[in-house]
Amino acid sequence: MAEAVTERQYQGRVHQRSRQLMSAWMSELARAEAEGVPTGALMISGNCVELLRACHVLPMFPEVTALQNAIRKKSLPLILKAEQAGYSSDNCAYVKADIGLFLDGGMGPGKPIPFPTITVCNYVGCNVYVKWFEHLADVSGSRLFVLDTPFARTPEPTPGDVRYVVSQLEELITLCESVSGKKFDIDYLREILGHAARAEAGYARCKHLTRHRPAPFDAYFDSINMMGPINVLRGTREAAEFFDEAVAEFEELVTQGLGPLSEERFRTVVEGPPPYPYYKSFRNLFTRWGAVAVQSTYSTVGGIWEWGFRHDPQRPLESIAEQMLRENLTNRSITARYGQIKRYVEEWEADALVIHSIKSCRLFSAGQGDMRDYFTRELGVPTLLVESDLEDPRYYAEAQLRNRIDAFFEALEHKKLVGAGH
Ligand code: SF4
């Protein structure tokens, strides 16, 4: 019997620094009302966070609050509150946890989260957001701005698409000026975009380092430490410096030949968000098999940086529009996602694809049955499909998940042994 695989008990600088930065941002939010700083609710996917920063509007993200409540096992009472208010049981649980939170007085995890001054529905890909942010604006009494981003229909956004989004960004600037009382300065936006581009290059470099064997970090479970800085804090000097440190730390691990586990036995690509209420338990189901994610689609919901796209200070509004239109996972078709996963499997030399299907998220989950068939039958990539939820703990069935995962890796191990001529 092979030796048991364990997680290395190593809390690196990346983990600590990410926590510090996110905590500082939440403290800023907690003080915002008292200090008269306007706040703007945004969604993560393909966001225009740089623009709010340049307009002196402090960004807040209902999804981040929802997932933090889920990790702290506080989501269920909030979900139930929203269901009592009329939300159906199969509605997106992020929405329910967030609306439940506001119906409950708007307290965040640990620190008070203010009601937003403006609610910017930067609608990208998932139309649930429109109704979510409409209701959020209603319960919080904030001003609603719906930023309509056309779905990607062509490999490159058309000039008309870019103009359409840019004209809405200009309207958003006018709205921000009216709530902040400060004049918009394009040079300040350029400076912020310079920081953003530096952070994007750093994140891309980290993701390319997982091509090494062993990968220096788990590109699904550990990516969460980088997703806060890249999606929420993008455009700050601190986020840019954070990624310089992350690259240095991961390069050091590569040099030392260290990964997140005592042994990397299987390299996986993971599709779909994680089950936040049982993050650690779910991770353990893979750790015991020595399975390390070398790439994941979820880590690209806010932006796909590893193929080279960067915000451009010389084309400020245009490059923000292009990122919203094309350079993020959620505004692309399912077949474009197939292409992304296929590249990950081939270029990162993965042994298998793991699809974690989310019960309450149709954007991610619709078509994943066909996806499994495509990867298994057409491409011959061993593929595991398991299901739970990203926010609602009622859908997490550990025993069933464990059975499926164990059976899958047992078969994969057997295949490896046979392939190696044992
Ligand atoms: S349905 Fe999915 S993509 Fe849409 S808001 Fe909910 S979790 Fe996000």
Side-chain angles (χ1 to χ4, degrees):
M1 173 118 188
E3 212 174 297
V5 179
T6 52
E7 218 174 301
R8 275 190 324 110
Q9 291 303 305
Y10 170 70
Q11 295 284 311
R13 297 192 296 275
V14 169
H15 178 78
Q16 300 299 349
R17 192 74 190 114
S18 170
R19 285 183 68 151
Q20 282 167 1
L21 289 175
M22 293 301 281
S23 171
W25 162 65
M26 296 200 57
S27 301
E28 236 185 308
L29 272 176
R31 295 191 308 267
E33 219 163 84
E35 293 176 356
V37 177
T39 51
L42 271 181
M43 56 183 261
I44 291 285
S45 310
N47 68 46
C48 52
V49 66
E50 297 87 353
L51 192 67
L52 289 203
R53 288 192 189 290
C55 291
H56 308 279
V57 173
L58 188 60
M60 56 189 284
F61 292 85
E63 286 150 295
V64 175
T65 314
L67 75 86
Q68 286 182 333
N69 275 320
I71 286 180
R72 290 167 169 82
K73 305 216 181 293
K74 288 182 175 171
S75 58
L76 189 56
L78 304 172
I79 291 169
L80 293 175
K81 193 153 193 108
E83 288 180 358
Q84 279 157 13
Y87 275 84
S88 87
S89 59
D90 66 350
N91 211 297
C92 167
Y94 258 0
V95 181
K96 287 189 287 187
D98 185 56
I99 294 296
L101 178 75
F102 278 91
L103 293 176
D104 213 26
M107 295 298 289
K111 295 190 174 109
I113 298 289
F115 281 10
T117 317
I118 55 172
T119 296
V120 183
C121 180
N122 51 304
Y123 160 61
V124 173
C126 170
N127 56 13
V128 168
Y129 280 111
V130 181
K131 295 297 152 198
W132 176 0
F133 276 46
E134 272 178 6
H135 196 181
L136 175 61
D138 185 45
V139 293
S140 64
S142 62
R143 287 171 70 175
L144 177 67
F145 185 92
V146 177
L147 209 167
D148 175 36
T149 311
F151 196 71
R153 304 155 332 271
T154 46
E156 298 294 321
T158 66
D161 287 342
V162 176
R163 267 199 313 276
Y164 178 57
V165 175
V166 166
S167 68
Q168 294 175 77
L169 295 175
E170 287 163 351
E171 284 175 38
L172 179 57
I173 290 171
T174 308
L175 172 64
C176 289
E177 283 179 329
S178 76
V179 297
S180 73
K182 292 183 178 149
K183 195 95 193 100
F184 173 70
D185 176 356
I186 191 91
D187 288 328
Y188 185 42
L189 176 62
R190 287 197 166 100
E191 185 186 323
I192 287 172
L193 290 174
H195 295 316
R198 200 172 127 208
E200 290 153 11
Y203 189 41
R205 171 76 183 137
C206 292
K207 297 195 110 200
H208 282 286
L209 285 171
T210 53
R211 290 175 191 237
H212 288 270
R213 288 175 188 262
F217 65 94
D218 186 292
Y220 185 56
F221 293 110
D222 294 326
S223 278
I224 192 80
N225 293 323
M226 284 170 276
M227 286 174 72
I230 198 68
N231 294 326
V232 172
L233 307 175
R234 206 175 59 242
T236 63
R237 181 184 300 279
E238 290 77 12
E241 288 170 356
F242 166 83
F243 281 102
D244 290 346
E245 283 182 52
V247 169
E249 176 160 283
F250 294 140
E251 282 179 343
E252 206 176 299
L253 291 174
V254 167
T255 310
Q256 293 170 356
L258 291 173
L261 305 183
S262 57
E263 186 188 349
E264 178 185 284
R265 287 191 187 150
F266 299 102
R267 294 166 67 83
T268 63
V269 170
V270 183
E271 144 79 356
Y276 282 112
Y278 292 96
Y279 203 81
K280 184 73 181 137
S281 315
F282 190 61
R283 181 176 194 159
N284 289 344
L285 298 177
F286 294 92
T287 294
R288 54 203 292 274
W289 284 99
V292 174
V294 291
Q295 260 292 12
S296 64
T297 50
Y298 183 57
S299 57
T300 63
V301 283
I304 304 174
W305 316 110
E306 54 263 45
W307 310 143
F309 178 85
R310 304 284 176 260
H311 280 100
D312 182 357
Q314 300 314 313
R315 300 171 55 251
L317 295 181
E318 290 77 7
S319 66
I320 291 176
E322 285 162 4
Q323 199 261 323
M324 298 180 78
L325 281 159
R326 183 194 53 192
E327 299 299 329
N328 64 84
L329 177 75
T330 49
N331 208 40
R332 294 171 165 227
S333 69
I334 187 101
T335 48
R337 207 181 321 161
Y338 283 12
Q340 187 178 343
I341 295 171
K342 184 171 178 287
R343 267 187 85 172
Y344 288 164
V345 171
E346 289 170 358
E347 295 176 23
W348 273 256
E349 298 180 339
D351 302 302
L353 168 64
V354 174
I355 303 172
H356 179 234
S357 190
I358 299 297
K359 195 116 181 139
S360 62
C361 174
R362 289 184 189 86
L363 176 93
F364 258 103
S365 311
Q368 283 177 331
D370 291 339
M371 181 188 279
R372 177 188 49 194
D373 289 350
Y374 171 73
F375 277 91
T376 313
R377 297 199 185 138
E378 308 269 326
L379 302 183
V381 177
T383 302
L384 168 72
L385 177 78
V386 287
E387 188 181 53
S388 74
D389 198 73
L390 81 173
E391 183 79 16
D392 193 331
R394 293 172 294 185
Y395 295 123
Y396 187 86
E398 172 104 5
Q400 274 110 311
L401 285 168
R402 192 182 173 115
N403 282 345
R404 300 280 307 274
I405 292 167
D406 284 356
F408 180 77
F409 283 105
E410 253 167 46
L412 210 56
E413 192 163 67
H414 179 73
K415 202 174 144 204
K416 258 195 170 176
L417 288 173
V418 170
H422 285 266

